[in-house]
Amino acid sequence: MIPAAFDYVAPESLDAALAALREGGEDAKVLAGGHSLVPLMKLRLAAPSLLVDLRRVPGLTGIDRSNGTVRIGAMTRHHDVATSDLGLAAKAAATIADQQVRNRGTIGGTLAHGDPASDLPAVLLALEGSVVVRGGSGEREIAAADMFQDYLTTSLAEDEILTEVRIPSPDGWGAGYAKFNRRVEDWAMVAVCAAVRKAADGSCEDVRIGLTNMGGTPLRATAAEEALRGRGLDAASIASAAGQAAEGTDPPADLNASEDYKRHLARVLCRRALEEAVAAA
Ligand SMILES: Cc1cc2nc3c(=O)[nH]c(=O)nc-3n(C[C@H](O)[C@H](O)[C@H](O)COP(=O)(O)OP(=O)(O)OC[C@H]3O[C@@H](n4cnc5c(N)ncnc54)[C@H](O)[C@@H]3O)c2cc1C
């Protein structure tokens, strides 16, 4: 379908982009890779009056590591994250759709969009990362735990632009990502991400588990994490912890899977993701 008519600007500074967004009012939208927004516009599920394209804004791309923190510019493409050494984030980004989508879609776009079926929101949540946003009243940092409010709803204000994503350095962590979909380029029916750090005696010093498409927002599998933290990392402990992966979840049933089947998938995928993470830790 053809989108409704809209105006378009491509400012050359962040301040100009923020001003355009402010002047455009509630119907103005930021355009990043366009791989979620444009399909919604074509379906007329979104009809922004103005698109503020971030492509010409300098300083919004690239991956930088310092003092134990990784800073990823909001306009960094999925391809660049997927081919980086960023452990869990790289593994998850590599499963996003196909190469064409990964060449265009951005990390800032997928986090601002807040789709619980997308791969990177649960990774940000599990890694206890954050996003930096700029708006009329300056800059603020939003912790991942406060970012995803409801289905396709984040705590970003309408006049704010997400500029940077922060995650802890993956050094010392093993990562595992298990995604179940019907075709390789599809969104996840369910996906589980896991990061594990081993203690000197080989037990589980720390573990983080994130769930994709198991509710209206990305979720953390806290019961499974608690079951494994401080325990041995043998097959029985992993299986027992993974058995709790669906605790507290409310997965949406859809054409592909019932709620119960998604809970089953979460348990199976959690075991696989943990096994992969433990082997890499
Ligand atoms: C065929 C297909 C398959 C896909 N499969 C997957 C998949 O398997 N897994 C997956 O995770 N994703 C998938 N996607 C989505 C893809 O990852 C998108 O790139 C991503 O969701 C949105 O990023 P974008 O840069 O394209 O954002 P856009 O579409 O440009 O924007 C999305 C939303 O975020 C807002 N926004 C964007 N950037 C910012 C910013 N910096 N600050 C504030 N607001 C911002 C926009 O205003 C808009 O509301 C798929 C997309 C397609 C077309």
mmCIF file of all heavy atoms in Angstrom, residues 29-32 36 54 74 78 106-115 118 120-121 124 131-133 142 147-157 160-165:
data_model
loop_
_atom_site.group_PDB
_atom_site.id
_atom_site.type_symbol
_atom_site.label_atom_id
_atom_site.label_comp_id
_atom_site.label_asym_id
_atom_site.label_seq_id
_atom_site.Cartn_x
_atom_site.Cartn_y
_atom_site.Cartn_z
ATOM 1 N N LYS A 29 7.692 12.168 13.465
ATOM 2 C CA LYS A 29 8.370 10.927 13.865
ATOM 3 C C LYS A 29 9.809 10.950 13.380
ATOM 4 O O LYS A 29 10.101 11.411 12.277
ATOM 5 C CB LYS A 29 7.684 9.721 13.214
ATOM 6 C CG LYS A 29 6.473 9.219 13.940
ATOM 7 C CD LYS A 29 6.915 8.219 14.957
ATOM 8 C CE LYS A 29 5.787 7.567 15.709
ATOM 9 N NZ LYS A 29 6.293 6.935 16.932
ATOM 10 N N VAL A 30 10.680 10.380 14.194
ATOM 11 C CA VAL A 30 12.068 10.175 13.779
ATOM 12 C C VAL A 30 12.119 9.014 12.786
ATOM 13 O O VAL A 30 11.422 8.014 12.962
ATOM 14 C CB VAL A 30 12.917 9.839 15.028
ATOM 15 C CG1 VAL A 30 14.265 9.273 14.634
ATOM 16 C CG2 VAL A 30 13.077 11.071 15.896
ATOM 17 N N LEU A 31 12.948 9.162 11.756
ATOM 18 C CA LEU A 31 13.188 8.058 10.813
ATOM 19 C C LEU A 31 14.640 7.616 10.964
ATOM 20 O O LEU A 31 15.560 8.422 10.833
ATOM 21 C CB LEU A 31 12.939 8.526 9.372
ATOM 22 C CG LEU A 31 13.176 7.482 8.280
ATOM 23 C CD1 LEU A 31 12.109 6.385 8.332
ATOM 24 C CD2 LEU A 31 13.182 8.128 6.893
ATOM 25 N N ALA A 32 14.840 6.322 11.255
ATOM 26 C CA ALA A 32 16.208 5.786 11.366
ATOM 27 C C ALA A 32 16.434 4.876 10.158
ATOM 28 O O ALA A 32 16.638 5.351 9.045
ATOM 29 C CB ALA A 32 16.381 5.071 12.695
ATOM 30 N N SER A 36 10.906 -0.595 10.448
ATOM 31 C CA SER A 36 9.671 -0.845 11.196
ATOM 32 C C SER A 36 8.657 0.239 10.865
ATOM 33 O O SER A 36 7.481 -0.042 10.640
ATOM 34 C CB SER A 36 9.931 -0.864 12.713
ATOM 35 O OG SER A 36 10.617 -2.031 13.065
ATOM 36 N N LEU A 54 17.347 10.844 10.547
ATOM 37 C CA LEU A 54 18.586 11.050 11.326
ATOM 38 C C LEU A 54 19.852 10.721 10.542
ATOM 39 O O LEU A 54 20.950 10.857 11.070
ATOM 40 C CB LEU A 54 18.552 10.166 12.583
ATOM 41 C CG LEU A 54 17.495 10.464 13.640
ATOM 42 C CD1 LEU A 54 17.698 9.553 14.845
ATOM 43 C CD2 LEU A 54 17.537 11.926 14.060
ATOM 44 N N ALA A 74 23.226 5.332 18.293
ATOM 45 C CA ALA A 74 21.857 4.892 17.996
ATOM 46 C C ALA A 74 21.663 4.493 16.537
ATOM 47 O O ALA A 74 20.868 3.609 16.222
ATOM 48 C CB ALA A 74 20.873 6.006 18.354
ATOM 49 N N HIS A 78 22.306 -2.893 12.386
ATOM 50 C CA HIS A 78 22.331 -4.254 12.954
ATOM 51 C C HIS A 78 23.547 -5.016 12.431
ATOM 52 O O HIS A 78 24.162 -5.784 13.159
ATOM 53 C CB HIS A 78 21.067 -5.029 12.566
ATOM 54 C CG HIS A 78 19.796 -4.425 13.085
ATOM 55 N ND1 HIS A 78 19.675 -3.855 14.326
ATOM 56 C CD2 HIS A 78 18.565 -4.311 12.509
ATOM 57 C CE1 HIS A 78 18.440 -3.421 14.509
ATOM 58 N NE2 HIS A 78 17.745 -3.687 13.412
ATOM 59 N N THR A 106 18.538 -0.127 12.575
ATOM 60 C CA THR A 106 19.498 0.410 13.548
ATOM 61 C C THR A 106 19.170 -0.057 14.968
ATOM 62 O O THR A 106 18.013 -0.368 15.280
ATOM 63 C CB THR A 106 19.461 1.950 13.542
ATOM 64 O OG1 THR A 106 18.178 2.380 14.024
ATOM 65 C CG2 THR A 106 19.700 2.507 12.131
ATOM 66 N N ILE A 107 20.191 -0.037 15.813
ATOM 67 C CA ILE A 107 19.967 -0.455 17.214
ATOM 68 C C ILE A 107 19.065 0.548 17.937
ATOM 69 O O ILE A 107 18.191 0.154 18.703
ATOM 70 C CB ILE A 107 21.315 -0.667 17.951
ATOM 71 C CG1 ILE A 107 21.064 -1.312 19.315
ATOM 72 C CG2 ILE A 107 22.123 0.622 18.072
ATOM 73 C CD1 ILE A 107 22.294 -1.889 19.974
ATOM 74 N N GLY A 108 19.238 1.837 17.640
ATOM 75 C CA GLY A 108 18.378 2.838 18.276
ATOM 76 C C GLY A 108 16.935 2.675 17.835
ATOM 77 O O GLY A 108 16.004 2.808 18.636
ATOM 78 N N GLY A 109 16.753 2.355 16.545
ATOM 79 C CA GLY A 109 15.400 2.191 16.005
ATOM 80 C C GLY A 109 14.674 1.027 16.647
ATOM 81 O O GLY A 109 13.509 1.147 17.042
ATOM 82 N N THR A 110 15.361 -0.092 16.788
ATOM 83 C CA THR A 110 14.677 -1.264 17.342
ATOM 84 C C THR A 110 14.361 -1.053 18.823
ATOM 85 O O THR A 110 13.305 -1.486 19.303
ATOM 86 C CB THR A 110 15.475 -2.565 17.088
ATOM 87 O OG1 THR A 110 14.650 -3.672 17.364
ATOM 88 C CG2 THR A 110 16.732 -2.676 17.901
ATOM 89 N N LEU A 111 15.222 -0.344 19.562
ATOM 90 C CA LEU A 111 14.946 -0.116 20.990
ATOM 91 C C LEU A 111 13.857 0.938 21.179
ATOM 92 O O LEU A 111 12.995 0.796 22.042
ATOM 93 C CB LEU A 111 16.237 0.275 21.722
ATOM 94 C CG LEU A 111 17.320 -0.814 21.706
ATOM 95 C CD1 LEU A 111 18.599 -0.313 22.360
ATOM 96 C CD2 LEU A 111 16.843 -2.090 22.393
ATOM 97 N N ALA A 112 13.863 1.977 20.334
ATOM 98 C CA ALA A 112 12.825 3.021 20.437
ATOM 99 C C ALA A 112 11.461 2.464 20.028
ATOM 100 O O ALA A 112 10.430 2.888 20.547
ATOM 101 C CB ALA A 112 13.190 4.205 19.551
ATOM 102 N N HIS A 113 11.472 1.519 19.092
ATOM 103 C CA HIS A 113 10.214 0.917 18.614
ATOM 104 C C HIS A 113 9.579 0.057 19.720
ATOM 105 O O HIS A 113 8.365 0.013 19.865
ATOM 106 C CB HIS A 113 10.526 0.083 17.372
ATOM 107 C CG HIS A 113 9.326 -0.368 16.622
ATOM 108 N ND1 HIS A 113 8.329 0.489 16.219
ATOM 109 C CD2 HIS A 113 8.954 -1.606 16.185
ATOM 110 C CE1 HIS A 113 7.400 -0.194 15.579
ATOM 111 N NE2 HIS A 113 7.746 -1.469 15.549
ATOM 112 N N GLY A 114 10.400 -0.648 20.484
ATOM 113 C CA GLY A 114 9.910 -1.382 21.656
ATOM 114 C C GLY A 114 9.023 -2.567 21.338
ATOM 115 O O GLY A 114 8.086 -2.871 22.078
ATOM 116 N N ASP A 115 9.320 -3.273 20.252
ATOM 117 C CA ASP A 115 8.529 -4.466 19.910
ATOM 118 C C ASP A 115 9.052 -5.649 20.745
ATOM 119 O O ASP A 115 10.230 -5.994 20.657
ATOM 120 C CB ASP A 115 8.707 -4.749 18.403
ATOM 121 C CG ASP A 115 7.846 -5.904 17.920
ATOM 122 O OD1 ASP A 115 7.334 -6.673 18.764
ATOM 123 O OD2 ASP A 115 7.686 -6.043 16.689
ATOM 124 N N SER A 118 11.084 -8.278 18.981
ATOM 125 C CA SER A 118 12.395 -7.961 18.410
ATOM 126 C C SER A 118 13.502 -8.526 19.287
ATOM 127 O O SER A 118 13.312 -8.737 20.487
ATOM 128 C CB SER A 118 12.565 -6.452 18.264
ATOM 129 O OG SER A 118 11.706 -5.990 17.244
ATOM 130 N N LEU A 120 16.766 -7.369 20.079
ATOM 131 C CA LEU A 120 17.707 -6.633 20.928
ATOM 132 C C LEU A 120 17.121 -6.044 22.224
ATOM 133 O O LEU A 120 17.864 -5.864 23.190
ATOM 134 C CB LEU A 120 18.413 -5.546 20.106
ATOM 135 C CG LEU A 120 19.352 -6.135 19.031
ATOM 136 C CD1 LEU A 120 19.954 -5.035 18.165
ATOM 137 C CD2 LEU A 120 20.468 -6.964 19.661
ATOM 138 N N PRO A 121 15.800 -5.749 22.292
ATOM 139 C CA PRO A 121 15.287 -5.238 23.571
ATOM 140 C C PRO A 121 15.550 -6.185 24.758
ATOM 141 O O PRO A 121 15.978 -5.728 25.831
ATOM 142 C CB PRO A 121 13.788 -5.056 23.293
ATOM 143 C CG PRO A 121 13.737 -4.717 21.832
ATOM 144 C CD PRO A 121 14.799 -5.601 21.212
ATOM 145 N N LEU A 124 19.203 -5.968 25.821
ATOM 146 C CA LEU A 124 19.492 -4.769 26.620
ATOM 147 C C LEU A 124 19.020 -4.963 28.059
ATOM 148 O O LEU A 124 19.715 -4.612 29.011
ATOM 149 C CB LEU A 124 18.799 -3.540 26.007
ATOM 150 C CG LEU A 124 19.168 -2.210 26.657
ATOM 151 C CD1 LEU A 124 20.515 -1.712 26.140
ATOM 152 C CD2 LEU A 124 18.112 -1.146 26.422
ATOM 153 N N VAL A 131 19.907 3.394 27.776
ATOM 154 C CA VAL A 131 19.965 4.234 26.574
ATOM 155 C C VAL A 131 20.096 5.681 27.011
ATOM 156 O O VAL A 131 19.614 6.074 28.084
ATOM 157 C CB VAL A 131 18.716 4.060 25.668
ATOM 158 C CG1 VAL A 131 18.615 2.640 25.141
ATOM 159 C CG2 VAL A 131 17.435 4.459 26.400
ATOM 160 N N VAL A 132 20.773 6.464 26.167
ATOM 161 C CA VAL A 132 20.908 7.899 26.421
ATOM 162 C C VAL A 132 19.991 8.610 25.436
ATOM 163 O O VAL A 132 19.982 8.273 24.244
ATOM 164 C CB VAL A 132 22.371 8.347 26.205
ATOM 165 C CG1 VAL A 132 22.510 9.846 26.418
ATOM 166 C CG2 VAL A 132 23.296 7.578 27.140
ATOM 167 N N VAL A 133 19.190 9.552 25.935
ATOM 168 C CA VAL A 133 18.276 10.272 25.050
ATOM 169 C C VAL A 133 18.467 11.775 25.228
ATOM 170 O O VAL A 133 18.816 12.250 26.313
ATOM 171 C CB VAL A 133 16.790 9.890 25.299
ATOM 172 C CG1 VAL A 133 16.576 8.409 25.107
ATOM 173 C CG2 VAL A 133 16.325 10.308 26.671
ATOM 174 N N ILE A 142 18.270 6.326 30.466
ATOM 175 C CA ILE A 142 17.153 5.483 30.915
ATOM 176 C C ILE A 142 17.668 4.052 31.054
ATOM 177 O O ILE A 142 18.163 3.458 30.086
ATOM 178 C CB ILE A 142 15.992 5.492 29.891
ATOM 179 C CG1 ILE A 142 15.554 6.919 29.556
ATOM 180 C CG2 ILE A 142 14.814 4.677 30.406
ATOM 181 C CD1 ILE A 142 14.537 7.000 28.402
ATOM 182 N N MET A 147 12.820 1.188 30.576
ATOM 183 C CA MET A 147 12.637 1.620 29.182
ATOM 184 C C MET A 147 11.347 1.080 28.559
ATOM 185 O O MET A 147 10.605 1.799 27.909
ATOM 186 C CB MET A 147 13.859 1.151 28.376
ATOM 187 C CG MET A 147 13.771 1.350 26.885
ATOM 188 S SD MET A 147 13.985 3.075 26.439
ATOM 189 C CE MET A 147 14.003 2.938 24.646
ATOM 190 N N PHE A 148 11.079 -0.212 28.743
ATOM 191 C CA PHE A 148 9.988 -0.855 27.995
ATOM 192 C C PHE A 148 8.736 -0.893 28.875
ATOM 193 O O PHE A 148 8.644 -1.654 29.828
ATOM 194 C CB PHE A 148 10.424 -2.254 27.550
ATOM 195 C CG PHE A 148 11.716 -2.208 26.764
ATOM 196 C CD1 PHE A 148 12.912 -2.622 27.335
ATOM 197 C CD2 PHE A 148 11.736 -1.684 25.481
ATOM 198 C CE1 PHE A 148 14.103 -2.537 26.631
ATOM 199 C CE2 PHE A 148 12.926 -1.590 24.761
ATOM 200 C CZ PHE A 148 14.120 -2.017 25.346
ATOM 201 N N GLN A 149 7.769 -0.028 28.534
ATOM 202 C CA GLN A 149 6.603 0.184 29.403
ATOM 203 C C GLN A 149 5.438 -0.736 29.069
ATOM 204 O O GLN A 149 4.741 -1.199 29.961
ATOM 205 C CB GLN A 149 6.126 1.628 29.254
ATOM 206 C CG GLN A 149 7.201 2.657 29.576
ATOM 207 C CD GLN A 149 7.429 2.760 31.072
ATOM 208 O OE1 GLN A 149 6.485 2.977 31.816
ATOM 209 N NE2 GLN A 149 8.658 2.572 31.513
ATOM 210 N N ASP A 150 5.208 -0.966 27.776
ATOM 211 C CA ASP A 150 4.057 -1.766 27.344
ATOM 212 C C ASP A 150 4.310 -2.129 25.882
ATOM 213 O O ASP A 150 5.332 -1.735 25.324
ATOM 214 C CB ASP A 150 2.770 -0.932 27.481
ATOM 215 C CG ASP A 150 1.543 -1.816 27.634
ATOM 216 O OD1 ASP A 150 1.634 -3.022 27.297
ATOM 217 O OD2 ASP A 150 0.489 -1.307 28.053
ATOM 218 N N TYR A 151 3.371 -2.804 25.258
ATOM 219 C CA TYR A 151 3.537 -3.204 23.858
ATOM 220 C C TYR A 151 3.819 -1.978 22.980
ATOM 221 O O TYR A 151 3.031 -1.013 22.981
ATOM 222 C CB TYR A 151 2.271 -3.918 23.393
ATOM 223 C CG TYR A 151 2.354 -4.434 21.977
ATOM 224 C CD1 TYR A 151 3.173 -5.511 21.664
ATOM 225 C CD2 TYR A 151 1.639 -3.831 20.957
ATOM 226 C CE1 TYR A 151 3.269 -5.976 20.365
ATOM 227 C CE2 TYR A 151 1.727 -4.291 19.657
ATOM 228 C CZ TYR A 151 2.545 -5.362 19.375
ATOM 229 O OH TYR A 151 2.648 -5.816 18.089
ATOM 230 N N LEU A 152 4.936 -1.962 22.284
ATOM 231 C CA LEU A 152 5.348 -0.849 21.404
ATOM 232 C C LEU A 152 5.364 0.499 22.133
ATOM 233 O O LEU A 152 5.189 1.537 21.505
ATOM 234 C CB LEU A 152 4.445 -0.752 20.161
ATOM 235 C CG LEU A 152 4.406 -1.938 19.199
ATOM 236 C CD1 LEU A 152 3.529 -1.613 18.000
ATOM 237 C CD2 LEU A 152 5.793 -2.345 18.732
ATOM 238 N N THR A 153 5.545 0.469 23.427
ATOM 239 C CA THR A 153 5.553 1.704 24.219
ATOM 240 C C THR A 153 6.797 1.747 25.100
ATOM 241 O O THR A 153 7.003 0.865 25.931
ATOM 242 C CB THR A 153 4.292 1.777 25.124
ATOM 243 O OG1 THR A 153 3.145 1.569 24.303
ATOM 244 C CG2 THR A 153 4.182 3.122 25.820
ATOM 245 N N THR A 154 7.606 2.796 24.897
ATOM 246 C CA THR A 154 8.806 2.959 25.721
ATOM 247 C C THR A 154 8.675 4.239 26.537
ATOM 248 O O THR A 154 7.726 5.011 26.349
ATOM 249 C CB THR A 154 10.074 3.075 24.852
ATOM 250 O OG1 THR A 154 10.039 4.331 24.174
ATOM 251 C CG2 THR A 154 10.174 1.941 23.839
ATOM 252 N N SER A 155 9.646 4.482 27.396
ATOM 253 C CA SER A 155 9.573 5.700 28.216
ATOM 254 C C SER A 155 10.189 6.910 27.521
ATOM 255 O O SER A 155 10.364 7.949 28.147
ATOM 256 C CB SER A 155 10.191 5.462 29.592
ATOM 257 O OG SER A 155 11.389 4.775 29.480
ATOM 258 N N LEU A 156 10.521 6.793 26.250
ATOM 259 C CA LEU A 156 10.980 7.962 25.477
ATOM 260 C C LEU A 156 9.818 8.939 25.292
ATOM 261 O O LEU A 156 8.723 8.521 24.908
ATOM 262 C CB LEU A 156 11.402 7.505 24.080
ATOM 263 C CG LEU A 156 12.869 7.630 23.710
ATOM 264 C CD1 LEU A 156 13.618 6.471 24.355
ATOM 265 C CD2 LEU A 156 13.057 7.593 22.215
ATOM 266 N N ALA A 157 10.077 10.228 25.523
ATOM 267 C CA ALA A 157 9.040 11.231 25.252
ATOM 268 C C ALA A 157 8.996 11.509 23.749
ATOM 269 O O ALA A 157 9.942 11.211 23.023
ATOM 270 C CB ALA A 157 9.345 12.512 26.024
ATOM 271 N N GLU A 160 11.901 13.398 22.227
ATOM 272 C CA GLU A 160 13.254 12.936 22.551
ATOM 273 C C GLU A 160 13.820 12.047 21.442
ATOM 274 O O GLU A 160 13.089 11.307 20.789
ATOM 275 C CB GLU A 160 13.246 12.150 23.865
ATOM 276 C CG GLU A 160 13.139 13.051 25.084
ATOM 277 C CD GLU A 160 13.146 12.262 26.397
ATOM 278 O OE1 GLU A 160 12.546 11.158 26.440
ATOM 279 O OE2 GLU A 160 13.719 12.758 27.369
ATOM 280 N N ILE A 161 15.140 12.128 21.281
ATOM 281 C CA ILE A 161 15.850 11.271 20.325
ATOM 282 C C ILE A 161 16.838 10.401 21.095
ATOM 283 O O ILE A 161 17.600 10.898 21.935
ATOM 284 C CB ILE A 161 16.578 12.133 19.266
ATOM 285 C CG1 ILE A 161 15.549 12.841 18.376
ATOM 286 C CG2 ILE A 161 17.522 11.267 18.419
ATOM 287 C CD1 ILE A 161 16.153 13.760 17.319
ATOM 288 N N LEU A 162 16.775 9.115 20.821
ATOM 289 C CA LEU A 162 17.725 8.174 21.432
ATOM 290 C C LEU A 162 19.067 8.337 20.699
ATOM 291 O O LEU A 162 19.113 8.262 19.473
ATOM 292 C CB LEU A 162 17.153 6.758 21.257
ATOM 293 C CG LEU A 162 17.708 5.601 22.075
ATOM 294 C CD1 LEU A 162 16.726 4.441 22.069
ATOM 295 C CD2 LEU A 162 19.066 5.167 21.648
ATOM 296 N N THR A 163 20.121 8.628 21.447
ATOM 297 C CA THR A 163 21.405 8.907 20.799
ATOM 298 C C THR A 163 22.438 7.806 21.003
ATOM 299 O O THR A 163 23.311 7.617 20.164
ATOM 300 C CB THR A 163 22.008 10.225 21.331
ATOM 301 O OG1 THR A 163 22.131 10.128 22.754
ATOM 302 C CG2 THR A 163 21.137 11.415 20.945
ATOM 303 N N GLU A 164 22.351 7.082 22.118
ATOM 304 C CA GLU A 164 23.403 6.104 22.427
ATOM 305 C C GLU A 164 22.833 4.948 23.243
ATOM 306 O O GLU A 164 21.912 5.135 24.036
ATOM 307 C CB GLU A 164 24.487 6.822 23.243
ATOM 308 C CG GLU A 164 25.721 5.997 23.511
ATOM 309 C CD GLU A 164 26.768 6.823 24.273
ATOM 310 O OE1 GLU A 164 27.441 7.650 23.625
ATOM 311 O OE2 GLU A 164 26.874 6.660 25.496
ATOM 312 N N VAL A 165 23.415 3.775 23.034
ATOM 313 C CA VAL A 165 23.037 2.579 23.795
ATOM 314 C C VAL A 165 24.264 2.167 24.604
ATOM 315 O O VAL A 165 25.375 2.150 24.066
ATOM 316 C CB VAL A 165 22.631 1.439 22.833
ATOM 317 C CG1 VAL A 165 22.245 0.184 23.606
ATOM 318 C CG2 VAL A 165 21.491 1.896 21.923
#
